[in-house]
Each structure stands twice: as C-alpha cells, then as structure tokens.
C-alpha cells in the first residue's frame, strides 16, 4: 500500500491512512467541526468589542464551544471587567460555555454583589450550565426566595426558570423539584412550577401521568392564579375542550385586569 505523506493528509483530511475515504456522515461531521472551529478567532476578536452587535454575535457563537478550556481566561476577563456591559456579556457567555467551572465563577460574582441588577442574568446563566452543582445551588436559592409564602417573589420565579432549564436537559432531580413543589405552601411557587411543567414537556410525544395528575390537582387549588397556571399548561400540552377554554380565557382576562388595577 502506498504511504500517504503527512502533508497530503493535512491538506485533505478526507483521505485516511488506510486509503478509505470518510463516509458521508463522517465527512459531514468533519465539515461541521471545521466550520465551527473557524468561528473561534471571530469570538476572540469581537468578545471585547465596543460595538454591541459584534460582541453579542461573539457571545452567541460560544454555544459551539461548550466546555472548551481555551475560553476560560477570556471569559474570566469579561466577568472581571470594570465596564458593566462587558460583565453582562461575560455572564451570558459563561452560561453558553456550560462548563462546570463556570458555576464557580458565577457564584463568586453573585457573592460580590457588585451588580445586584444583574442577578437575574446570573441565575439564568447558572440554569444554562446546569449539572448537579447547578441544580443544588438553584434549589437552595429558589426556596430561600419563597420563605414568605403570601407574596410574589420575582427572583424566586427566576430561580424556577433556571431549574426548568436544567430539567429540560434531562436532570431528573430538577424535574422532580418542579413536580414536588406544585404542593409548596407558597402559591407563587406552585403557580410558577405549574407554568414550568408546560415548558419542559412542550412538544413531547407523551405527558407523564404524574405530571398530568399534578396539573389536574392544581386546577382545584385554593389560589386563582395557581388554577389558571394549571389550566394554561394543560391547554398547551393536551388541549382543553371549548367549554374549559372559555372558562380559562375569562379567568385570564380578570387576572390581567386585576394586575393592571393594582
């Protein structure tokens, strides 16, 4: 068998040392990987751009480089920047990076409390990273925001949104949290978990019986907002009959008008 020179193999990676060309799937994967790798210089060039659109484009491309160690130092530089707009980009980028080390960096940023109005972005980024550590942190964070069971908790709701992202990536503990806390004493947590179940199971072929039964149970909840959230989720997941849909629409109108008047 004729030996293939190294330089030829470098020029044409579709040629292998055993003279067998890559099959179609392998070639497509190679083309995709090669194309994505070409994004990397663009990311490094524009991650610190003063032009917001270029910086946002660079951040968006980071999803193609999940857990790539080369990104850690540039992302840390963003998180430690003195300019808030770069810190925000860093938070979003770390979420898309989805490396477990990102949780450590985001927790440190949250603890500093230097940018309290960016807390929501930090929690959402943690949800994007997910994993066991991410879920456990967000679980404690979320429950601590719902200690006053009588009031609405905007940041608690953000915590549930982060947990929902983790559940959508297949984390069983996160999904069980959403189901279990549909019975929490806080009406706002019950409402938010009911909303989240529709997000997790939207477009799925089957709705687990435990989830269906829980949503049915919540349609009889003492709190009107919880009942509405349950009906909305059921409508999105399995569809309501005309009579129940009319009841839901009427309740939603009253709910919206009540919030406006308050």
């Amino acid at each position: 068998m004729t030996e293939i020179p190294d330089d030829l193999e470098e020029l044409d990676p579709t040629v292998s040392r055993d003279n067998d060309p890559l099959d179609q799937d392998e070639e497509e994967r190679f083309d995709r990987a090669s194309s994505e790798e070409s994004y990397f210089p663009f990311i490094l060039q524009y991650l610190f751009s003063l032009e917001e659109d270029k910086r946002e484009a660079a951040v968006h491309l980071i999803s193609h480089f999940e857990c790539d160690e080369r990104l850690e130092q540039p992302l840390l530089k963003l998180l430690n920047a003195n300019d808030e707009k770069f810190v925000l980009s860093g938070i979003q980028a770390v979420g898309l990076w989805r490396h477990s080390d990102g949780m450590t960096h985001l927790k440190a940023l949250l603890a500093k409390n230097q940018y309290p109005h960016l807390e929501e972005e930090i929690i959402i980024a943690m949800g994007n990273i997910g994993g066991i550590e991410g879920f456990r942190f967000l679980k404690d964070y979320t429950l601590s925001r719902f200690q006053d069971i009588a009031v609405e908790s905007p940041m608690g709701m953000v915590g549930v949104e982060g947990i929902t992202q983790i559940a959508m990536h297949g984390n069983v503990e996160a999904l069980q949290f959403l189901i279990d806390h549909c019975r929490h004493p806080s009406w706002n947590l019950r409402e938010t978990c009911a909303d989240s179940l529709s997000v997790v199971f939207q477009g799925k072929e089957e709705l687990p019986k435990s989830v269906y039964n829980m949503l049915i149970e919540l349609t009889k909840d003492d709190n009107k907002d919880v009942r509405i959230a349950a009906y909305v989720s059921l409508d999105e997941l399995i569809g309501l009959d005309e009579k129940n849909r009319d009841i839901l629409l009427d309740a939603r109108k009253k709910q919206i008008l009540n919030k406006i008047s308050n």
Side-chain angles (χ1 to χ4, degrees):
M1 182 174 65
T2 305
E3 184 175 350
I4 301 173
D6 290 339
D7 57 348
L8 176 58
E9 190 174 39
E10 290 173 5
L11 288 173
D12 187 1
T14 63
V15 179
S16 64
R17 288 195 177 276
D18 58 8
N19 277 346
D20 291 330
L22 298 177
D23 63 32
Q24 185 174 354
D25 288 342
E26 290 174 327
E27 192 165 349
E28 286 177 358
R29 285 197 297 271
F30 171 80
D31 289 342
R32 186 166 59 250
S34 298
S35 175
E36 290 177 354
E37 186 61 30
S38 70
Y39 300 157
F40 200 81
F42 178 92
I43 292 173
L44 295 183
Q45 181 178 356
Y46 291 110
L47 203 53
F48 300 92
S49 174
L50 293 173
E51 298 179 49
E52 185 176 356
D53 58 339
K54 291 182 179 178
R55 194 169 65 253
E56 287 181 354
V59 168
H60 177 73
L61 289 173
I62 285 175
S63 61
H64 295 282
F65 296 89
E66 286 187 12
C67 300
D68 192 315
E69 301 286 352
R70 294 174 296 174
L71 283 169
E72 183 165 16
Q73 290 308 312
L75 296 183
L76 268 176
K77 186 176 179 181
L78 276 178
L79 290 179
N80 293 320
N82 294 322
D83 192 323
E84 183 179 315
K85 63 176 178 286
F86 289 114
V87 177
L88 174 58
S89 294
I91 293 168
Q92 295 168 340
V94 168
L96 294 172
W97 186 42
R98 301 198 68 214
H99 194 296
S100 57
D101 287 350
M103 276 297 301
T104 302
H105 302 320
L106 290 177
K107 284 194 289 186
L109 183 62
L110 190 63
K112 284 168 60 177
N113 199 32
Q114 186 175 354
Y115 303 101
H117 51 290
L118 295 182
E119 183 171 343
E120 179 175 349
E121 294 286 347
I122 294 174
I123 297 303
I124 296 301
M126 288 179 169
N128 287 335
I129 294 171
I132 296 173
E133 182 186 1
F135 166 68
R136 290 176 179 170
F137 180 88
L138 290 181
K139 175 184 175 181
D140 293 341
Y141 174 93
T142 299
L143 292 177
S144 71
R145 283 355 184 236
F146 286 108
Q147 290 182 353
D148 187 343
I149 64 174
V151 300
E152 187 175 80
S153 172
M155 289 312 299
M157 294 165 70
V158 172
V160 174
E161 183 178 346
I163 291 173
T164 302
Q165 290 298 317
I166 298 175
M168 290 175 69
H169 282 101
N171 186 295
V172 177
E173 285 187 81
L175 174 58
Q176 196 60 49
F177 175 94
L178 297 177
I179 297 172
D180 292 345
H181 288 82
C182 284
R183 293 195 177 104
H184 192 272
S186 166
W187 66 267
N188 189 211
L189 181 50
R190 297 197 304 276
E191 175 195 24
T192 310
C193 287
D195 282 335
S196 293
L197 289 175
S198 68
V199 176
V200 174
F201 291 100
Q202 188 76 47
K204 299 288 178 65
E205 291 185 3
E206 293 185 7
L207 180 66
K209 189 174 181 180
S210 60
V211 175
Y212 173 79
N213 288 340
M214 179 57 69
L215 290 173
I216 291 295
E217 180 181 322
L218 291 178
T219 63
K220 303 174 179 66
D221 195 273
D222 292 336
N223 184 277
K224 178 183 65 179
D225 291 335
V226 176
R227 295 197 300 271
I228 290 174
Y231 273 115
V232 169
S233 287
L234 284 168
D235 190 36
E236 291 178 351
L237 294 173
I238 62 173
L240 296 175
D241 59 33
E242 187 174 351
K243 179 180 178 181
N244 280 316
R245 189 174 287 116
D246 288 342
I247 293 172
L248 172 60
L249 289 174
D250 183 60
R252 284 287 288 151
K253 287 177 184 177
K254 291 178 180 177
Q255 182 188 45
I256 292 169
L257 288 173
N258 183 54
K259 287 186 177 181
I260 292 174
S261 63
N262 291 335

